[in-house]
């Protein structure tokens, strides 16, 4: 089982990459999955060439294959003009042009970073529609981290809840109320009704 993180951060170090790493670590703790991180900025030239020629270079081709083959996907973008970055969108444009079914049915956790909490709606107004269009299965909890969220209360809980929901989709186990994956139905001991009734009667 493997998780692929697509990070569209441009700076080094990057809060976008940091958020992706934390989400991946929390999900891997639930699933034991291997994690691979794709830094979209490293593929910028290849993405531009692909958009004009239709052919990906070797590095871009490997990244696209990794995303298509992932059991779970975590996507993180900085906010630009109240939406995802152009480079982030171009990466998924290239993926969709190469294989329109690449993300069909794939569990995806959406996340974003920005300078102010006012941009948190980017999750529901930009990222969620994009991945719904690509027919991915987007987890209920998206994670937005503004500058003031780092080190503050709330962000670790949101990360854990979203990671639990992604893990539940990856493993096929329903998430508990706290977001962590529950037990598979096959793992549950079924007690016949008559036996339950007898226990209640003492």
């Amino acid at each position: 089982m493997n998780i692929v993180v697509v990070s569209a951060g441009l700076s080094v170090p990057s809060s976008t990459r940091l958020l992706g790493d934390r989400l991946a670590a929390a999900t891997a703790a639930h699933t034991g999955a291997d994690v691979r991180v794709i830094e979209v900025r490293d593929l910028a030239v290849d993405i531009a060439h692909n958009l004009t020629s239709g052919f990906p270079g070797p590095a871009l081709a490997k990244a696209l294959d990794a995303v298509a083959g992932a059991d779970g996907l975590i996507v993180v973008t900085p906010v630009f003009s109240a939406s995802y970055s152009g480079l982030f969108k171009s990466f998924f444009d290239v993926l969709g042009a190469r294989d329109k079914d690449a993300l069909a049915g794939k569990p995806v956790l959406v996340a974003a970073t920005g300078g102010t909490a006012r941009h948190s709606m980017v999750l529901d107004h930009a990222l969620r529609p994009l991945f719904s269009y690509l027919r991915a299965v987007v987890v209920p909890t998206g994670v937005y981290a503004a500058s003031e969220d780092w080190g503050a209360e709330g962000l670790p809980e949101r990360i854990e809840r979203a990671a639990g929901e992604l893990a539940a989709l990856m493993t096929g186990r329903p998430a508990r109320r706290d977001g962590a994956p529950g037990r598979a139905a096959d793992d549950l001991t079924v007690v016949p009704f008559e036996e339950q009734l007898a226990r209640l009667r003492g």
Side-chain angles (χ1 to χ4, degrees), residues 75-93:
V75 299
V76 196
T77 179
V79 174
F80 288 114
S81 301
S83 188
Y84 38 67
S85 75
L87 187 58
F88 178 88
K89 177 63 161 53
S90 294
F91 177 83
F92 287 101
D93 284 343

PDB file of all heavy atoms in Angstrom, residues 75-93:
ATOM      1  N   VAL A  75      -3.037  15.894  -1.825  1.00  0.00           N
ATOM      2  CA  VAL A  75      -2.665  16.995  -2.705  1.00  0.00           C
ATOM      3  C   VAL A  75      -2.671  18.284  -1.898  1.00  0.00           C
ATOM      4  O   VAL A  75      -3.616  18.574  -1.174  1.00  0.00           O
ATOM      5  CB  VAL A  75      -3.611  17.086  -3.922  1.00  0.00           C
ATOM      6  CG1 VAL A  75      -3.538  15.808  -4.751  1.00  0.00           C
ATOM      7  CG2 VAL A  75      -5.050  17.345  -3.510  1.00  0.00           C
ATOM      8  N   VAL A  76      -1.591  19.057  -2.022  1.00  0.00           N
ATOM      9  CA  VAL A  76      -1.442  20.277  -1.231  1.00  0.00           C
ATOM     10  C   VAL A  76      -0.944  21.402  -2.140  1.00  0.00           C
ATOM     11  O   VAL A  76       0.049  21.237  -2.849  1.00  0.00           O
ATOM     12  CB  VAL A  76      -0.444  20.084  -0.073  1.00  0.00           C
ATOM     13  CG1 VAL A  76      -0.601  21.213   0.941  1.00  0.00           C
ATOM     14  CG2 VAL A  76      -0.621  18.745   0.606  1.00  0.00           C
ATOM     15  N   THR A  77      -1.631  22.524  -2.095  1.00  0.00           N
ATOM     16  CA  THR A  77      -1.246  23.664  -2.922  1.00  0.00           C
ATOM     17  C   THR A  77      -1.238  24.948  -2.100  1.00  0.00           C
ATOM     18  O   THR A  77      -2.051  25.097  -1.184  1.00  0.00           O
ATOM     19  CB  THR A  77      -2.221  23.839  -4.111  1.00  0.00           C
ATOM     20  OG1 THR A  77      -1.833  24.984  -4.895  1.00  0.00           O
ATOM     21  CG2 THR A  77      -3.649  24.039  -3.638  1.00  0.00           C
ATOM     22  N   PRO A  78      -0.340  25.858  -2.404  1.00  0.00           N
ATOM     23  CA  PRO A  78      -0.473  27.202  -1.837  1.00  0.00           C
ATOM     24  C   PRO A  78      -1.619  27.914  -2.559  1.00  0.00           C
ATOM     25  O   PRO A  78      -1.966  27.554  -3.683  1.00  0.00           O
ATOM     26  CB  PRO A  78       0.876  27.858  -2.153  1.00  0.00           C
ATOM     27  CG  PRO A  78       1.377  27.124  -3.353  1.00  0.00           C
ATOM     28  CD  PRO A  78       0.855  25.716  -3.257  1.00  0.00           C
ATOM     29  N   VAL A  79      -2.199  28.896  -1.901  1.00  0.00           N
ATOM     30  CA  VAL A  79      -3.294  29.649  -2.504  1.00  0.00           C
ATOM     31  C   VAL A  79      -2.729  30.823  -3.299  1.00  0.00           C
ATOM     32  O   VAL A  79      -1.921  31.600  -2.793  1.00  0.00           O
ATOM     33  CB  VAL A  79      -4.263  30.161  -1.426  1.00  0.00           C
ATOM     34  CG1 VAL A  79      -5.332  31.062  -2.049  1.00  0.00           C
ATOM     35  CG2 VAL A  79      -4.926  28.992  -0.713  1.00  0.00           C
ATOM     36  N   PHE A  80      -3.162  30.921  -4.566  1.00  0.00           N
ATOM     37  CA  PHE A  80      -2.830  32.066  -5.415  1.00  0.00           C
ATOM     38  C   PHE A  80      -4.124  32.613  -5.990  1.00  0.00           C
ATOM     39  O   PHE A  80      -4.893  31.865  -6.603  1.00  0.00           O
ATOM     40  CB  PHE A  80      -1.885  31.661  -6.559  1.00  0.00           C
ATOM     41  CG  PHE A  80      -0.488  31.358  -6.120  1.00  0.00           C
ATOM     42  CD1 PHE A  80       0.020  30.070  -6.231  1.00  0.00           C
ATOM     43  CD2 PHE A  80       0.332  32.344  -5.603  1.00  0.00           C
ATOM     44  CE1 PHE A  80       1.318  29.774  -5.827  1.00  0.00           C
ATOM     45  CE2 PHE A  80       1.632  32.060  -5.201  1.00  0.00           C
ATOM     46  CZ  PHE A  80       2.118  30.773  -5.314  1.00  0.00           C
ATOM     47  N   SER A  81      -4.383  33.901  -5.777  1.00  0.00           N
ATOM     48  CA  SER A  81      -5.600  34.539  -6.305  1.00  0.00           C
ATOM     49  C   SER A  81      -6.846  33.750  -5.930  1.00  0.00           C
ATOM     50  O   SER A  81      -7.713  33.470  -6.760  1.00  0.00           O
ATOM     51  CB  SER A  81      -5.505  34.691  -7.829  1.00  0.00           C
ATOM     52  OG  SER A  81      -4.385  35.456  -8.189  1.00  0.00           O
ATOM     53  N   ALA A  82      -6.903  33.338  -4.660  1.00  0.00           N
ATOM     54  CA  ALA A  82      -8.071  32.640  -4.097  1.00  0.00           C
ATOM     55  C   ALA A  82      -8.334  31.281  -4.730  1.00  0.00           C
ATOM     56  O   ALA A  82      -9.454  30.783  -4.697  1.00  0.00           O
ATOM     57  CB  ALA A  82      -9.312  33.518  -4.187  1.00  0.00           C
ATOM     58  N   SER A  83      -7.299  30.672  -5.311  1.00  0.00           N
ATOM     59  CA  SER A  83      -7.478  29.356  -5.907  1.00  0.00           C
ATOM     60  C   SER A  83      -6.168  28.586  -5.804  1.00  0.00           C
ATOM     61  O   SER A  83      -5.205  29.036  -5.185  1.00  0.00           O
ATOM     62  CB  SER A  83      -7.915  29.483  -7.369  1.00  0.00           C
ATOM     63  OG  SER A  83      -8.271  28.225  -7.901  1.00  0.00           O
ATOM     64  N   TYR A  84      -6.136  27.373  -6.397  1.00  0.00           N
ATOM     65  CA  TYR A  84      -4.908  26.594  -6.445  1.00  0.00           C
ATOM     66  C   TYR A  84      -3.918  27.263  -7.400  1.00  0.00           C
ATOM     67  O   TYR A  84      -4.283  28.095  -8.230  1.00  0.00           O
ATOM     68  CB  TYR A  84      -5.180  25.156  -6.884  1.00  0.00           C
ATOM     69  CG  TYR A  84      -6.234  24.999  -7.945  1.00  0.00           C
ATOM     70  CD1 TYR A  84      -6.037  25.482  -9.243  1.00  0.00           C
ATOM     71  CD2 TYR A  84      -7.446  24.384  -7.666  1.00  0.00           C
ATOM     72  CE1 TYR A  84      -7.003  25.345 -10.214  1.00  0.00           C
ATOM     73  CE2 TYR A  84      -8.429  24.241  -8.634  1.00  0.00           C
ATOM     74  CZ  TYR A  84      -8.192  24.714  -9.901  1.00  0.00           C
ATOM     75  OH  TYR A  84      -9.167  24.599 -10.863  1.00  0.00           O
ATOM     76  N   SER A  85      -2.652  26.883  -7.287  1.00  0.00           N
ATOM     77  CA  SER A  85      -1.636  27.479  -8.151  1.00  0.00           C
ATOM     78  C   SER A  85      -1.776  26.952  -9.574  1.00  0.00           C
ATOM     79  O   SER A  85      -2.273  25.844  -9.806  1.00  0.00           O
ATOM     80  CB  SER A  85      -0.233  27.166  -7.622  1.00  0.00           C
ATOM     81  OG  SER A  85       0.117  25.816  -7.882  1.00  0.00           O
ATOM     82  N   GLY A  86      -1.316  27.756 -10.529  1.00  0.00           N
ATOM     83  CA  GLY A  86      -1.369  27.342 -11.931  1.00  0.00           C
ATOM     84  C   GLY A  86      -0.535  26.108 -12.195  1.00  0.00           C
ATOM     85  O   GLY A  86      -0.914  25.245 -12.997  1.00  0.00           O
ATOM     86  N   LEU A  87       0.614  25.996 -11.533  1.00  0.00           N
ATOM     87  CA  LEU A  87       1.481  24.839 -11.724  1.00  0.00           C
ATOM     88  C   LEU A  87       0.807  23.575 -11.210  1.00  0.00           C
ATOM     89  O   LEU A  87       0.881  22.510 -11.837  1.00  0.00           O
ATOM     90  CB  LEU A  87       2.814  25.068 -11.012  1.00  0.00           C
ATOM     91  CG  LEU A  87       3.910  24.028 -11.240  1.00  0.00           C
ATOM     92  CD1 LEU A  87       4.236  23.896 -12.721  1.00  0.00           C
ATOM     93  CD2 LEU A  87       5.160  24.406 -10.443  1.00  0.00           C
ATOM     94  N   PHE A  88       0.144  23.670 -10.076  1.00  0.00           N
ATOM     95  CA  PHE A  88      -0.616  22.554  -9.518  1.00  0.00           C
ATOM     96  C   PHE A  88      -1.678  22.084 -10.506  1.00  0.00           C
ATOM     97  O   PHE A  88      -1.794  20.895 -10.814  1.00  0.00           O
ATOM     98  CB  PHE A  88      -1.261  23.015  -8.208  1.00  0.00           C
ATOM     99  CG  PHE A  88      -2.132  22.003  -7.526  1.00  0.00           C
ATOM    100  CD1 PHE A  88      -1.592  21.088  -6.634  1.00  0.00           C
ATOM    101  CD2 PHE A  88      -3.506  21.999  -7.738  1.00  0.00           C
ATOM    102  CE1 PHE A  88      -2.403  20.164  -5.977  1.00  0.00           C
ATOM    103  CE2 PHE A  88      -4.322  21.087  -7.089  1.00  0.00           C
ATOM    104  CZ  PHE A  88      -3.772  20.161  -6.216  1.00  0.00           C
ATOM    105  N   LYS A  89      -2.463  23.030 -11.030  1.00  0.00           N
ATOM    106  CA  LYS A  89      -3.516  22.685 -11.995  1.00  0.00           C
ATOM    107  C   LYS A  89      -2.927  22.089 -13.256  1.00  0.00           C
ATOM    108  O   LYS A  89      -3.474  21.124 -13.818  1.00  0.00           O
ATOM    109  CB  LYS A  89      -4.323  23.934 -12.330  1.00  0.00           C
ATOM    110  CG  LYS A  89      -5.414  23.739 -13.392  1.00  0.00           C
ATOM    111  CD  LYS A  89      -6.477  22.761 -12.959  1.00  0.00           C
ATOM    112  CE  LYS A  89      -7.769  22.919 -13.780  1.00  0.00           C
ATOM    113  NZ  LYS A  89      -7.576  22.871 -15.223  1.00  0.00           N
ATOM    114  N   SER A  90      -1.802  22.629 -13.730  1.00  0.00           N
ATOM    115  CA  SER A  90      -1.187  22.109 -14.952  1.00  0.00           C
ATOM    116  C   SER A  90      -0.742  20.665 -14.789  1.00  0.00           C
ATOM    117  O   SER A  90      -0.864  19.860 -15.720  1.00  0.00           O
ATOM    118  CB  SER A  90       0.003  22.981 -15.359  1.00  0.00           C
ATOM    119  OG  SER A  90      -0.418  24.275 -15.724  1.00  0.00           O
ATOM    120  N   PHE A  91      -0.230  20.314 -13.605  1.00  0.00           N
ATOM    121  CA  PHE A  91       0.177  18.929 -13.356  1.00  0.00           C
ATOM    122  C   PHE A  91      -1.005  17.990 -13.533  1.00  0.00           C
ATOM    123  O   PHE A  91      -0.900  16.944 -14.196  1.00  0.00           O
ATOM    124  CB  PHE A  91       0.771  18.792 -11.958  1.00  0.00           C
ATOM    125  CG  PHE A  91       1.150  17.379 -11.595  1.00  0.00           C
ATOM    126  CD1 PHE A  91       2.372  16.859 -12.001  1.00  0.00           C
ATOM    127  CD2 PHE A  91       0.296  16.573 -10.868  1.00  0.00           C
ATOM    128  CE1 PHE A  91       2.726  15.542 -11.681  1.00  0.00           C
ATOM    129  CE2 PHE A  91       0.632  15.270 -10.545  1.00  0.00           C
ATOM    130  CZ  PHE A  91       1.858  14.761 -10.948  1.00  0.00           C
ATOM    131  N   PHE A  92      -2.146  18.363 -12.983  1.00  0.00           N
ATOM    132  CA  PHE A  92      -3.310  17.481 -13.093  1.00  0.00           C
ATOM    133  C   PHE A  92      -3.973  17.570 -14.468  1.00  0.00           C
ATOM    134  O   PHE A  92      -4.616  16.614 -14.905  1.00  0.00           O
ATOM    135  CB  PHE A  92      -4.289  17.755 -11.946  1.00  0.00           C
ATOM    136  CG  PHE A  92      -3.770  17.229 -10.642  1.00  0.00           C
ATOM    137  CD1 PHE A  92      -3.192  18.079  -9.708  1.00  0.00           C
ATOM    138  CD2 PHE A  92      -3.803  15.867 -10.370  1.00  0.00           C
ATOM    139  CE1 PHE A  92      -2.682  17.588  -8.516  1.00  0.00           C
ATOM    140  CE2 PHE A  92      -3.290  15.361  -9.187  1.00  0.00           C
ATOM    141  CZ  PHE A  92      -2.724  16.215  -8.258  1.00  0.00           C
ATOM    142  N   ASP A  93      -3.777  18.682 -15.183  1.00  0.00           N
ATOM    143  CA  ASP A  93      -4.203  18.745 -16.581  1.00  0.00           C
ATOM    144  C   ASP A  93      -3.426  17.731 -17.412  1.00  0.00           C
ATOM    145  O   ASP A  93      -3.999  17.020 -18.254  1.00  0.00           O
ATOM    146  CB  ASP A  93      -3.978  20.143 -17.152  1.00  0.00           C
ATOM    147  CG  ASP A  93      -5.011  21.150 -16.669  1.00  0.00           C
ATOM    148  OD1 ASP A  93      -6.067  20.735 -16.156  1.00  0.00           O
ATOM    149  OD2 ASP A  93      -4.745  22.370 -16.795  1.00  0.00           O
TER     150      ASP A  93
END
